[in-house]
Amino acid sequence: FAFYLKFSDFLITKGSAMTTFNELLLEGKLCDAIIKVNDVEFNVHRIILCGCSFYFCALFSSGWSDTKKQVYNIPGVSSEIMRLIIEYAYTCSVPVTEDNVECLLVAADQFNVMGIVRACCSFLENKLCVENCIGIYRFADFYCCWELRQRACLFILQHFEEVVRTSEEFLDLDVLQFCDIIEKDNLNIMQENVVFEAILQWIAHTPATRKHHISLLLPKVRLALMDINYFLYNVKNNEIVKDSEECKPIIINTLKAMYDLTLKDAANFQSPLTHPRLPNAILLAIGGWSGSSPTNGIEAYDARADCWVNVTVEEESPRAYHGTAYLNGFIYCIGGFDSMEYFSTVRKFNPVTRTWHQAAPMHSRRCYVSVAVLDGFIYAMGGYDGYVRLNTAERYEPETNQWTVISPMHQQRSDASATSLHGRVYICGGSNGNECLFTAECYSPDTNQWTLIAPMRSRRSGVGVIAYGEHIYAVGGFDGIDRLQNAEIYNPVTDSWHIMSVPMNSPRSNFGIEVMDGLLFVVGGFNGFATIFNVEYYNQKTNKWCEAHDMGIFRSALSCCVVPSLPNITDYTAPRHSPQSPQMELGQSVSKDIFSS
Ligand SMILES: *[C@@H]1O[C@H](CO)[C@@H](O)[C@H](O)[C@H]1NC(C)=O
Ligand SMILES: *[C@@H]1O[C@H](CO)[C@@H](O)[C@H](O)[C@H]1NC(C)=O
């Protein structure tokens, strides 16, 4: 996009001169050279072709004669492509299509027409998808189009699992290109066995010629981070690995590193065997109630390293019982309470610059507010304004920085929770001031109407509600007597709830809830006795709750949101000092250990 912008600026300034030259060309006037490709002749002005390519400059300046029209025979290109190149020299524009882009880029590279190279690269960049990204990557690698190569590489890294599963071109990577991809920290995989299995798949394509590459590829896997049983049965016992002498020390060192990990609490992120990848998204825990006061604390969860990083901006004031939403690069903090004031204010955080900004305030003060994002709007619903529990709702449009009141809900809902799924906003539970609610309702922006859906099995205030897969999950909360440990799941197709078969490890209300990497996270909250900092996640595939690392700050009434693909994600992750040369380090420590014993 940026390129097209510059490109059209250029056309505006150069436009009139270009038009004149092009007219001369079309009329065949003042031409001083003939380019001959196969049997097709093109009358051209040397000076114009010189303007777009060093190749033609060099060609024309050797054997220059201004008396007669010279004929230049150009081999290795089709007349159709040469026509496009000449047209480009005169008009500064070129029609790139799926059919011609490959030949055009090759020819533009050969004739050094950088304008066309850039146009082709930007065309290919916009066409990147799982099916073609490897092909484009290899193509860009071959023609030294570094920017395109980098974009394609980034695309492969982000969609690695899908690429390995579905792209036939993946098997055509050469060993160095394959290494270049799997050694990257920002390879987006949740488990290292994905990389190991990709290696096996790649080798199996032509085992005879690829088997020996195992010793080069295996050290790119962060082996010591694998599940021990997986490592023993699938890696150590693998025939190709067993057959390779060079792999033996790698296996031994991995076992040692795994043993060390069980002894130490903190992992060694520097070692190539235990160096975690970078996450593709981060989970932020923002504000809340900690001890006897609200906090301004922000912590970022680094899922690959399983740790929380303190990214608090000290100047920002504390806020609890608020809602958060991520939209178009900003994290919005909406409403809430600081122990003095019930907020109508909205603050937005830019995670790249790590600065806070004011956004337009809501129409109502809303503490214990429920927030959801749908189709580019932020919805803020219910809450408490200091006097009454609200049934009102409003929505925010970032482009105009405006809140608009929408239809009120059927019930007053304070301390409820909301999410969106398939074009609707869902809000469940909460309290009306007298009792905790088991009712739930959904909003359709098309009709601007709220509809009561089937009620939950339990009353839930301070509940966490989130869309996960095709369902709505209502997790934990307070039923008027106890903090709940269970969750229930709503199926919008059948309009029915069922209790989740496995409860959380800890009961909790007023916690943060989000889905990241296909896992449902619950963060902090109140367990009935104390404010907690523990975090757990549910995996739909295994139907299990597992503990994640505790936050640094114990808190309830916090709010969580997920921030995808940050440019400077390392500002939000545990420090990993990239090892200079993993293989070298590995090789050195290996030889020392093996040969000294
Ligand atoms: C987090 O960082 C902030 C700002 O640097 C600091 O004031 C606060 O004490 C830190 N919190 C924790 C729990 O380390
Ligand atoms: C994050 O990256 C942006 C753009 O790459 C840069 O301007 C900014 O300074 C970085 N922020 C920090 C805190 O390093």
Side-chain angles (χ1 to χ4, degrees):
F1 180 67
F3 164 63
Y4 284 121
L5 212 64
K6 267 192 262 158
F7 193 59
S8 54
D9 287 350
F10 180 69
L11 277 182
I12 290 162
T13 53
K14 296 277 169 112
S16 58
M18 283 300 172
T19 314
T20 314
F21 285 129
N22 201 27
E23 278 162 8
L24 288 175
L25 176 75
L26 293 175
E27 292 164 19
K29 281 186 191 155
L30 303 176
C31 291
D32 56 4
I34 293 171
I35 301 276
K36 197 164 170 210
V37 173
N38 299 322
D39 287 331
V40 183
E41 293 190 347
F42 299 95
N43 277 297
V44 297
H45 305 86
R46 285 186 260 214
I47 190 74
I48 298 295
L49 292 204
C50 283
C52 80
S53 137
F54 288 123
Y55 173 92
F56 288 110
C57 259
L59 182 72
F60 297 142
S61 16
S62 63
W64 169 260
S65 136
D66 50 11
T67 50
K68 65 172 196 301
K69 243 193 224 180
Q70 259 179 289
V71 179
Y72 297 88
N73 273 298
I74 313 274
V77 60
S78 73
S79 56
E80 188 41 42
I81 294 291
M82 184 52 79
R83 185 191 312 281
L84 291 175
I85 291 177
I86 293 170
E87 254 175 51
Y88 173 80
Y90 283 87
T91 61
C92 254
S93 81
V94 59
V96 184
T97 67
E98 270 176 56
D99 293 329
N100 73 17
V101 63
E102 213 167 315
C103 297
L104 195 57
L105 203 157
V106 173
D109 178 67
Q110 179 187 345
F111 300 115
N112 224 296
V113 189
M114 294 322 289
I116 296 186
V117 171
R118 280 195 297 273
C120 289
C121 286
S122 121
F123 178 86
L124 290 174
E125 218 175 283
N126 290 326
K127 292 272 182 238
L128 274 171
C129 66
V130 171
E131 286 73 32
N132 68 18
C133 58
I134 300 261
I136 292 179
Y137 170 77
R138 296 180 65 221
F139 187 73
D141 195 42
F142 190 80
Y143 289 104
C144 305
C145 307
W146 302 127
E147 207 168 307
L148 178 62
R149 183 186 185 276
Q150 198 178 347
R151 289 294 162 83
C153 187
L154 208 58
F155 189 93
I156 298 166
L157 292 169
Q158 266 173 12
H159 303 89
F160 186 73
E161 288 195 46
E162 215 185 330
V163 169
V164 172
R165 205 168 51 237
T166 59
S167 156
E168 286 166 21
E169 298 171 336
F170 158 70
L171 298 169
D172 301 331
L173 285 170
D174 69 37
V175 66
L176 292 179
Q177 291 167 335
F178 190 28
C179 266
D180 191 40
I181 291 167
I182 61 171
E183 74 180 5
K184 292 278 193 302
D185 272 1
N186 53 345
L187 185 69
N188 181 27
I189 47 157
M190 283 168 65
Q191 301 205 308
E192 293 293 325
N193 54 5
V194 171
V195 192
F196 180 67
E197 279 154 29
I199 293 174
L200 295 184
Q201 193 181 329
W202 182 84
I203 290 177
H205 187 56
T206 52
T209 56
R210 288 185 176 179
K211 249 163 95 160
H212 69 281
H213 290 312
I214 188 72
S215 60
L216 183 63
L217 296 168
L218 195 60
K220 308 296 181 205
V221 186
R222 319 283 156 95
L223 291 166
L225 298 178
M226 283 180 161
D227 173 67
I228 176 92
N229 287 320
Y230 181 89
F231 177 76
L232 292 178
Y233 296 112
N234 298 284
V235 183
K236 185 169 168 286
N237 275 354
N238 178 276
E239 290 303 324
I240 300 171
V241 174
K242 277 205 289 200
D243 281 352
S244 158
E245 272 307 310
E246 289 103 324
C247 285
K248 290 208 164 73
I250 301 170
I251 298 295
I252 293 169
N253 273 10
T254 304
L255 288 169
K256 283 177 64 178
M258 281 180 159
Y259 180 69
D260 284 350
L261 279 180
T262 62
L263 295 184
K264 276 178 276 179
D265 194 31
N268 171 9
F269 292 165
Q270 270 88 353
S271 153
L273 290 167
T274 52
H275 187 75
R277 310 273 175 185
L278 283 169
N280 198 39
I282 51 155
L283 173 65
L284 291 182
I286 301 174
W289 203 265
S290 186
S292 54
S293 58
T295 170
N296 66 352
I298 310 178
E299 289 175 275
Y301 181 63
D302 175 345
R304 300 290 181 264
D306 185 29
C307 67
W308 290 87
V309 180
N310 183 0
V311 292
T312 306
V313 178
E314 249 169 304
E315 302 74 44
E316 186 62 12
S317 354
R319 206 176 265 251
Y321 298 105
H322 55 293
T324 58
Y326 175 79
L327 185 59
N328 303 343
F330 286 97
I331 296 136
Y332 291 83
C333 271
I334 298 156
F337 179 61
D338 68 354
S339 81
M340 311 275 284
E341 195 185 342
Y342 298 89
F343 293 129
S344 59
T345 56
V346 177
R347 301 278 293 164
K348 66 175 190 180
F349 181 63
N350 178 339
V352 175
T353 56
R354 286 167 84 166
T355 48
W356 282 96
H357 309 269
Q358 196 78 27
M362 294 180 288
H363 294 276
S364 303
R365 295 173 185 272
R366 297 179 191 273
C367 166
Y368 312 110
V369 61
S370 301
V371 166
V373 173
L374 177 64
D375 296 336
F377 293 98
I378 299 173
Y379 289 80
M381 295 147 282
Y384 177 66
D385 64 5
Y387 304 98
V388 289
R389 267 84 185 170
L390 303 169
N391 65 349
T392 62
E394 45 192 307
R395 74 175 193 183
Y396 177 77
E397 185 178 27
E399 288 75 24
T400 56
N401 187 29
Q402 264 182 356
W403 287 93
T404 309
V405 174
I406 61 170
S407 289
M409 298 181 288
H410 290 276
Q411 289 202 286
Q412 297 161 288
R413 292 182 192 276
S414 176
D415 224 358
S417 180
T419 187
S420 64
L421 181 68
H422 297 323
R424 293 195 152 76
V425 175
Y426 290 83
I427 186 165
C428 309
S431 154
N432 61 11
N434 298 318
E435 55 181 5
C436 300
L437 301 171
F438 48 75
T439 61
E441 43 194 306
C442 80
Y443 175 79
S444 163
D446 300 335
T447 57
N448 185 27
Q449 262 180 2
W450 288 96
T451 311
L452 281 166
I453 60 172
M456 296 183 288
R457 302 286 180 91
S458 302
R459 296 175 185 274
R460 295 177 192 269
S461 179
V463 58
V465 171
I466 193 98
Y468 180 39
E470 295 294 303
H471 298 98
I472 307 282
Y473 284 63
V475 183
F478 179 59
D479 65 3
I481 301 163
D482 292 316
R483 310 289 142 176
L484 302 174
Q485 202 163 347
N486 68 13
E488 48 191 303
I489 304 170
Y490 177 71
N491 182 343
V493 177
T494 58
D495 184 32
S496 61
W497 292 90
H498 70 271
I499 298 277
M500 195 170 167
S501 60
V502 284
M504 290 184 285
N505 294 315
S506 168
R508 58 182 92 212
S509 68
N510 296 96
F511 50 96
I513 188 165
E514 260 298 358
V515 169
M516 183 170 74
D517 288 338
L519 304 172
L520 191 165
F521 285 86
V522 293
V523 180
F526 183 70
N527 69 6
F529 303 98
T531 305
I532 55 181
F533 48 37
N534 54 342
V535 178
E536 48 187 311
Y537 60 86
Y538 172 72
N539 187 347
Q540 217 164 23
K541 288 191 189 130
T542 58
N543 191 33
K544 274 191 184 135
W545 285 97
C546 300
E547 297 282 340
H549 205 283
D550 296 338
M551 287 186 291
I553 308 170
F554 58 91
R555 47 176 144 177
S556 67
L558 69 160
S559 188
C560 284
C561 68
V562 169
V563 185
S565 40
L566 274 169
N568 37 14
I569 196 150
T570 48
D571 291 350
Y572 294 86
T573 56
R576 297 160 171 76
H577 301 290
S578 206
Q580 291 301 305
S581 158
Q583 269 171 278
M584 282 284 291
E585 284 179 26
L586 200 61
Q588 280 161 1
S589 63
V590 164
S591 47
K592 228 186 301 155
D593 293 343
I594 299 296
F595 300 114
S596 62
S597 56

